[in-house]
């Protein structure tokens, strides 16, 4: 593993141009992640409209979630292909292409005919759009981290990556709040009659605006220098990654495992788990989730500051311990019956999920510039596809033997993995930007 520079070799101050690059990148990331996740907030409506009327509700829901999951399966493919060209043709081109590839299918989902109009073709078109979305987000997330890290001064890589991560989280929050507002102000019949299309059409339009805004961004100084020196990988970048940087891949995938546990279990699954296991009413569950997601944005920024101030190892170790303890505090409080404290503990757990803001800084520093995009993209997307896909059924299975505390035990185990990565970094490869 190398600690290759993530920015130009001359240490400089963080300037207005850096702020503009970071702001436009975070905005585009927020809009793109909104496009990717808004699908799940309208899964029930999509299940009713895109499958035969006689389909059992649970089966239609299962089929829609299967289409939703297809986006995750497509992420590694998109990440590998787009990262290959990002390491050969430039970060900016792929950074802009990923937003465009997300905007088109999101807009088209909002315009798709339903099963009542075109029959079995409707779910197939929906699946095709979801796969394209998955390919796009597979290139966007790692590409965005590399892009901002290679633009800012070396001692600001942590906060740059964390700000981008906070922007992605803001996209999830926007989608959640918009869905909540629509469901609160419109009847189910009105939503099915056509209101459901609005979030997708808006997402597509805003995505095109993000594409236009990204035209003002410049290629990263690191890639410009690499192009001038003709310092490209001599073979396929991903092949070089797997042949010469396996330790960095393993380290990055282990850190990404903790990231998926934090996001999938604490942010995405907990609202449903607390309703089914502890009898929390839906309004309280989703109010807690909104506050936790907002706290996650703040937690990411604090984690990024800690990376630049204390180094990747220290920030990851402290964040991992905090996440594990807060997960136990959240679920332990629920098990003890103190449901009135749920929202507060959920907000704290959301804040501690901010340790996810450390992971991109670690991965950026783990790979040299000539294969950085490919190395980060392969490690992150494969880990997310495997661990993210297995986590929901694993939590369900563990709950049968470990009881209601199973989600906390699982998150705590991944925090031990994250702590191990942090200790390795501190003892073997001190990654400090």
């Amino acid at each position: 593993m190398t600690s290759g520079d993530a920015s130009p070799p001359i240490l400089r101050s963080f300037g207005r141009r850096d702020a503009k690059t970071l702001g436009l990148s975070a905005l585009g990331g927020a809009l793109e992640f909104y496009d990717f996740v808004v699908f799940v907030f309208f899964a029930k409506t999509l299940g009713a409209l895109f499958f035969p009327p006689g389909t059992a509700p649970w089966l239609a829901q299962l089929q829609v979630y299967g289409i939703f999951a297809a986006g995750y399966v497509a992420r590694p493919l998109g990440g590998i292909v787009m990262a290959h060209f990002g390491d050969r043709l430039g970060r900016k081109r792929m950074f802009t292409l990923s937003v465009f590839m997300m905007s088109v299918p999101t807009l088209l989902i909002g315009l798709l005919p339903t099963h009542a109009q075109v029959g079995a073709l409707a779910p197939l078109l929906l699946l095709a759009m979801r796969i394209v979305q998955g390919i796009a987000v597979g290139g966007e997330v790692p590409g965005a981290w590399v892009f901002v890290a290679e633009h800012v001064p070396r001692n600001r890589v942590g906060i740059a990556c964390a700000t981008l991560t906070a922007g992605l989280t803001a996209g999830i929050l926007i989608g959640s709040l918009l869905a909540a507002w629509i469901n609160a102000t419109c009847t189910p019949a009105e939503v099915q009659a056509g209101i459901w299309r609005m979030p997708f059409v808006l997402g597509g339009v805003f995505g095109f605006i993000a594409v236009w805004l990204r035209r003002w961004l410049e290629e990263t100084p690191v890639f410009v220098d690499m192009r001038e020196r003709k310092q490209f990988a001599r073979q396929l970048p991903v092949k070089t990654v797997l042949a010469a940087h396996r330790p960095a891949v393993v380290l990055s995938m282990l850190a990404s495992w903790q990231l998926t546990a934090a996001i999938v279990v604490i942010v995405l699954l907990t609202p449903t788990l607390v309703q089914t296991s502890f009898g929390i009413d839906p309004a309280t569950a989703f109010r807690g989730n909104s506050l936790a997601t907002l706290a996650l944005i703040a937690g990411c920024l604090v984690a990024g500051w800690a990376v630049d101030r204390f180094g990747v190892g220290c920030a990851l170790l402290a964040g991992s311990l905090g996440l594990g303890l807060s997960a136990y505090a959240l679920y332990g409080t629920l098990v003890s019956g103190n449901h009135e404290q749920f929202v507060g503990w959920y907000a704290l757990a959301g804040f501690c999920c901010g340790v996810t803001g450390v992971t991109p800084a670690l991965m950026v520093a783990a790979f040299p510039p000539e294969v950085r995009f490919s190395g980060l993209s392969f490690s992150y997307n494969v880990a997310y596809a495997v661990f993210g896909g297995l986590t929901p059924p694993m939590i369900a299975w563990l709950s049968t033997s470990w009881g209601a505390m199973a989600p906390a035990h699982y998150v705590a185990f991944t925090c031990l993995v994250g702590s191990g990565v942090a200790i390795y970094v501190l003892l073997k490869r001190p990654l400090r930007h």
Side-chain angles (χ1 to χ4, degrees):
M1 186 172 64
T2 180
S3 59
D5 291 343
S7 58
I10 300 176
L11 195 62
R12 57 182 177 81
S13 60
F14 186 89
R16 182 177 298 179
R17 178 176 295 180
D18 298 312
K20 183 187 78 169
T21 297
L22 194 54
L24 291 177
S25 300
L27 175 61
L31 294 175
E32 183 156 3
F33 237 63
Y34 161 86
D35 288 352
F36 189 67
V37 303
V38 73
F39 187 102
V40 76
F41 296 127
F42 291 91
K44 185 176 181 179
T45 300
L46 294 173
L49 293 174
F50 282 82
F51 293 94
T55 305
W58 67 269
L59 180 58
Q61 197 81 340
L62 180 63
Q63 291 170 322
V64 170
Y65 279 126
I67 292 176
F68 177 75
Y72 284 94
V73 175
R75 285 176 69 157
L77 173 63
I80 291 171
V81 173
M82 296 182 72
H84 169 81
F85 290 105
D87 280 331
R88 291 294 180 90
L89 302 179
R91 321 302 200 200
K92 180 185 174 182
R93 292 184 182 182
M94 295 301 106
F95 196 39
T96 302
L97 177 62
S98 65
V99 176
F100 180 77
M101 286 183 63
M102 179 63 78
S103 303
V104 172
T106 303
L107 176 63
L108 291 179
I109 288 175
L111 303 176
L112 284 180
T114 63
H115 189 277
Q117 296 170 308
V118 296
L121 183 60
L124 294 178
L125 291 174
L126 189 62
L127 174 62
M129 296 301 100
R130 187 62 187 169
I131 290 174
V132 177
Q133 283 187 322
I135 291 173
V137 82
E140 164 70 15
V141 178
W145 282 332
V146 171
F147 188 83
V148 298
E150 292 186 349
H151 261 292
V152 301
R154 187 184 310 171
N155 62 340
R156 291 292 183 269
V157 169
I159 193 63
C161 289
T163 300
L164 199 287
T165 307
L168 300 178
T169 304
I172 299 175
L173 181 60
I174 293 170
S176 175
L177 293 176
L178 179 59
W181 176 77
I182 288 176
N183 287 318
T185 57
C186 302
T187 66
E190 290 173 332
V191 174
Q192 286 197 19
I195 297 296
W196 70 271
R197 297 182 183 274
M198 183 184 72
F200 294 97
V201 173
L202 283 177
V205 172
F206 286 142
F208 290 129
I209 294 174
V211 172
W212 180 77
L213 289 174
R214 284 189 176 180
R215 65 193 290 265
W216 303 105
L217 296 174
E218 300 175 357
E219 183 57 84
T220 73
V222 170
F223 185 83
V224 171
D225 180 69
M226 195 169 68
R227 183 171 55 199
E228 292 176 352
R229 296 170 180 264
K230 300 187 183 302
Q231 192 181 357
F232 300 108
R234 296 183 179 179
Q235 53 186 348
L236 288 174
V238 71
K239 186 176 180 180
T240 301
V241 167
L242 295 176
H245 302 283
R246 281 192 291 264
V249 170
V250 172
L251 206 66
S252 299
M253 292 183 75
L254 291 176
S256 296
W257 185 9
Q258 184 186 43
L259 182 152
T260 63
I263 299 301
V264 174
V265 177
I266 301 297
V267 178
L268 298 181
L269 292 182
T270 290
T272 300
L273 292 172
V274 298
Q275 293 178 66
T276 56
S277 299
F278 303 103
I280 300 291
D281 64 275
T284 301
F286 285 102
R287 182 170 72 252
N289 180 255
S290 296
L291 289 175
T293 307
L294 189 62
L296 169 57
I297 294 173
C300 285
L301 298 177
V302 171
W305 169 83
V307 168
D308 293 331
R309 180 67 178 83
F310 304 108
V312 168
C314 290
L316 182 59
L317 181 59
S320 299
L321 294 175
L323 176 59
L325 292 174
S326 66
Y328 275 125
L330 171 61
Y331 278 88
T333 298
L334 291 169
V335 168
S336 67
N338 295 325
H339 294 179
E340 66 277 2
Q341 299 179 12
F342 161 70
V343 173
W345 284 114
Y346 197 6
L348 177 62
F351 178 83
C352 291
C353 284
V355 67
T356 57
V358 179
T359 304
L362 182 150
M363 293 191 290
V364 164
F367 299 97
E370 58 268 22
V371 295
R372 177 173 291 145
F373 197 162
S374 293
L376 195 157
S377 182
F378 177 85
S379 304
Y380 170 76
N381 281 310
V382 171
Y384 211 110
V386 173
F387 297 125
L390 292 177
T391 294
M394 187 178 296
I395 292 296
W397 175 72
L398 290 175
S399 296
T400 61
S401 54
W402 290 357
M405 288 295 292
H409 294 325
Y410 177 77
V411 171
F413 179 79
T414 64
C415 288
L416 288 177
V417 174
S419 297
V421 172
I423 292 171
Y424 175 84
V425 169
L426 288 170
L427 296 180
K428 301 292 184 180
R429 297 285 184 178
L431 302 177
R432 181 164 182 167
H433 300 287

